[in-house]
């Protein structure tokens, strides 16, 4: 009803409409308050069960800020070059280990993405009619992404020894599970008309995927893979904690032995690297999505 017709309504009708609006608004406000109250109660209950102690957190917060202060180097303007040289005394070794970390993330992402690519079509309900095959593919992907990367790394270190191989395998398996889930959801949202057209001509599963599915999903696949590579760089940085290669081993050693300035130097290198990769992958994702939108 138009606003300019409201004054012409019968006063009793207008009062009834106003009361209805006010009642609906009050009911909505009550639902919001009840929902907010339930959320607060749930948070407090979860904190109580998990033995979260806010008083202990605030009492020891100063130790955290003190540690941050301790790891920062003392640089003087009159001797900045000398201070930086002392701060990054091991930059050659750290740079080599950082490069190893990037390679671990890169290879792990490629291997995991390949496995996810193959399994995503088997896990898609609109392509595979066999419940057993779909169930097996989906449960396998769930297993791969449920077990933390660090646990896989520990297992592979025992099996293959120290080095980057356990880190690559751990990241590849976890990436397979994470990307497999995303890839299969992309497949399940495709337009089925090209698929039905190829199936009606007698095309097999491989031909259908190649000519009807891939053209619709490859852009999203590439975007998700770039995003996962960015995540895996951060994951690979801690693989060294268990001897699975990368810069994590030196970072852990610096933390354990209280080499304060080494901690900040290594962390700064990791942060700069992750920021650079984030900016690069964001640019690539935008180009990929832009190319898809220009079609």
């Amino acid at each position: 009803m138009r606003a300019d017709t409201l004054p012409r309504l019968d006063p009793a009708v207008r009062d009834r409409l106003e009361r209805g609006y006010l009642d609906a608004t009050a009911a909505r406000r009550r639902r919001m308050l009840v929902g907010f109250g339930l959320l607060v109660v749930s948070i407090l209950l979860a904190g109580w069960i998990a033995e979260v102690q806010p008083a202990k957190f605030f009492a020891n917060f100063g130790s955290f800020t003190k540690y941050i202060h301790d790891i920062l180097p003392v640089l003087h303007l009159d001797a900045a070059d000398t201070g930086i040289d002392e701060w990054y005394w091991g930059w050659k070794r750290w740079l080599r280990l950082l490069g190893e970390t990037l390679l671990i993330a890169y290879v792990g992402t490629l291997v995991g993405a390949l496995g996810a690519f193959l399994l995503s079509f088997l896990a898609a309900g609109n392509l595979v009619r066999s419940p057993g095959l779909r169930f097996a593919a989906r449960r396998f992907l769930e297993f791969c992404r449920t077990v933390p990367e660090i646990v896989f790394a520990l297992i592979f270190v025992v099996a293959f020894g120290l080095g980057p191989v356990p880190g690559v395998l751990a990241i590849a398996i976890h990436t397979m599970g994470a990307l497999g889930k995303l890839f299969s959801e992309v497949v399940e949202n495709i337009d089925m008309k090209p698929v039905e057209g190829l199936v009606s001509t007698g095309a097999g599963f491989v031909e259908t995927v190649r000519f009807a599915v891939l053209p619709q999903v490859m852009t999203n696949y590439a975007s998700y893979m770039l995003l996962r590579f960015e995540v895996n760089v951060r994951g690979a940085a801690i693989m060294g904690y268990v001897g699975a290669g990368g810069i994590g081993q030196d970072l852990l050693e610096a933390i354990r032995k209280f080499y304060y300035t080494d901690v900040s130097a290594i962390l700064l290198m990791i942060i700069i690297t992750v920021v650079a990769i984030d900016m690069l992958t964001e640019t690539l994702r935008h180009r990929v999505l832009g190319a898809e939108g220009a079609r």
Side-chain angles (χ1 to χ4, degrees), residues 114-187:
L114 178 60
F117 175 84
L118 297 175
L119 291 174
S120 63
F121 305 112
L122 300 180
N126 57 342
L127 293 183
V128 176
R129 301 303 178 188
S130 171
L133 186 57
R134 279 202 319 274
F135 179 87
R138 291 179 177 179
R139 300 296 82 79
F140 177 73
L141 292 174
E142 287 174 0
F143 168 76
C144 291
R145 67 175 176 270
T146 300
V147 179
E149 298 160 309
I150 200 72
V151 175
F152 280 128
L154 283 168
I155 295 173
F156 290 131
V157 164
V158 175
F160 300 104
L162 302 175
V165 173
V168 170
L169 293 176
I171 288 179
I173 292 177
H174 198 272
T175 298
M176 186 189 308
L179 286 182
K181 171 68 172 177
L182 296 174
F183 286 179
S184 64
E185 291 180 350
V186 172
V187 173

Side-chain angles (χ1 to χ4, degrees), residues 9 11 103 135 163 177 192 199 213 235 295:
L9 291 175
L103 289 176
F135 179 87
M192 290 299 293
V199 171
V213 180
R295 290 183 178 180

Side-chain angles (χ1 to χ4, degrees), residues 97-110 163-169 171-172 229 232 235-236 239-240 244-247:
L97 291 175
L98 187 59
E100 184 177 274
T101 298
L102 293 176
L103 289 176
I104 290 173
Y106 176 71
V107 177
T109 302
L110 284 181
V165 173
V168 170
L169 293 176
I171 288 179
F229 172 65
N232 286 342
M239 289 292 106
I247 201 171

Side-chain angles (χ1 to χ4, degrees), residues 218-229:
M218 284 306 296
T219 301
N220 286 326
Y221 276 23
S223 179
Y224 281 135
M225 194 173 80
L226 289 172
L227 177 62
R228 190 65 200 181
F229 172 65

Side-chain angles (χ1 to χ4, degrees), residues 101 149-150 153 232-249 251-252 270:
T101 298
E149 298 160 309
I150 200 72
N232 286 342
V233 171
R234 291 191 287 267
I238 64 170
M239 289 292 106
Y241 278 36
V242 295
I247 201 171
Q249 180 65 43
L251 178 60
L252 179 62
I270 295 174

